[in-house]
Amino acid sequence: NYDDTHEWEHHQVVCKGLDHADMLGLNKATLRLKCLINWLIESLLQLRHAHSHMSEKSQSLVHVYGPRAKHDRGASIAFNLYDSHGRLVHPELVQMLGDKNNISLSIGFLRNIRMPDKETMLKASVDEKKVLNGFEIGKMQTRVEVVTAALSFLSTFEDVYKLWVFASSFL
């Protein structure tokens, strides 16, 4: 009979995986990624089409889904690009052009998005109304196709800047 179950019960198991990860800089890497994604979001939101002769207000190029830059945001972004007339640039076209420019983008789908009530819709900015164009107020939208980009712990400022330059080329 092989019975050593009592022998290992007296040993204390200590897990120091998080301490080891912290020693390797995991917390610093996470903070760095948050700074990179926050810079990317704020910079993308600054991209606007030039004023058209029909309108005094410029059109936003990028709509970012999810929270704006926050401390607790993850290292990924979902967004869509729009032309100067407020028309969606199809996400698959953006992805294909990204591939040609060595920028890794994916396609994602946002589901079960609650549209605002009529009062909220009336108060919405031109950019917000553009995103909601074609959806019934107060109804559930089952699917919105978006472009997604995710950073990894190896991502650098050069990577996010390259994505920003790529997006700005749609102006």
Side-chain angles (χ1 to χ4, degrees):
N1 282 340
Y2 187 76
D3 187 15
D4 66 341
T5 55
H6 295 291
E7 183 178 321
W8 66 267
E9 288 178 357
H10 298 290
H11 295 288
Q12 183 178 8
V13 176
V14 178
C15 296
K16 293 192 175 197
L18 292 178
D19 292 336
H20 182 68
D22 188 37
M23 180 188 76
L24 295 174
L26 178 64
N27 289 339
K28 289 179 184 175
T30 301
L31 178 61
R32 191 172 118 295
L33 285 175
K34 287 178 184 181
C35 291
L36 288 174
I37 201 73
N38 286 343
W39 180 89
L40 179 61
I41 291 168
E42 289 302 319
S43 298
L44 287 173
L45 292 173
Q46 299 302 314
L47 296 174
R48 302 187 73 77
H49 292 284
H51 298 294
S52 67
H53 66 281
M54 299 175 70
S55 170
E56 289 296 317
K57 189 168 182 165
S58 61
Q59 296 288 327
S60 180
L61 170 67
V62 181
H63 178 82
V64 175
Y65 298 91
R68 286 187 83 169
K70 285 185 162 183
H71 180 68
D72 58 348
R73 183 184 177 95
S76 62
I77 181 174
F79 64 96
N80 275 324
L81 301 177
Y82 291 86
D83 69 15
S84 61
H85 301 288
R87 294 180 301 236
L88 176 69
V89 179
H90 199 279
E92 290 177 9
L93 175 62
V94 175
Q95 181 189 31
M96 182 186 71
L97 293 171
D99 288 344
K100 289 185 179 203
N101 287 280
N102 292 321
I103 297 174
S104 180
L105 299 171
S106 298
I107 302 295
F109 296 95
L110 304 179
R111 297 184 183 272
N112 298 326
I113 300 170
R114 180 166 293 283
M115 295 295 118
D117 58 27
K118 191 171 188 173
E119 182 179 320
T120 304
M121 185 65 170
L122 292 174
K123 292 179 183 177
S125 71
V126 171
D127 294 333
E128 292 167 331
K129 287 178 184 173
K130 178 174 51 182
V131 170
L132 301 175
N133 188 26
F135 299 133
E136 291 184 54
I137 296 170
K139 299 287 183 182
M140 296 297 282
Q141 169 61 29
T142 58
R143 183 174 121 159
V144 175
E145 191 172 17
V146 296
V147 178
T148 62
L151 304 182
S152 76
F153 71 95
L154 296 175
S155 297
T156 65
F157 179 75
E158 183 179 343
D159 297 325
V160 294
Y161 183 74
K162 187 175 178 180
L163 177 53
W164 179 84
V165 168
F166 170 72
S168 69
S169 70
F170 285 82
L171 289 174

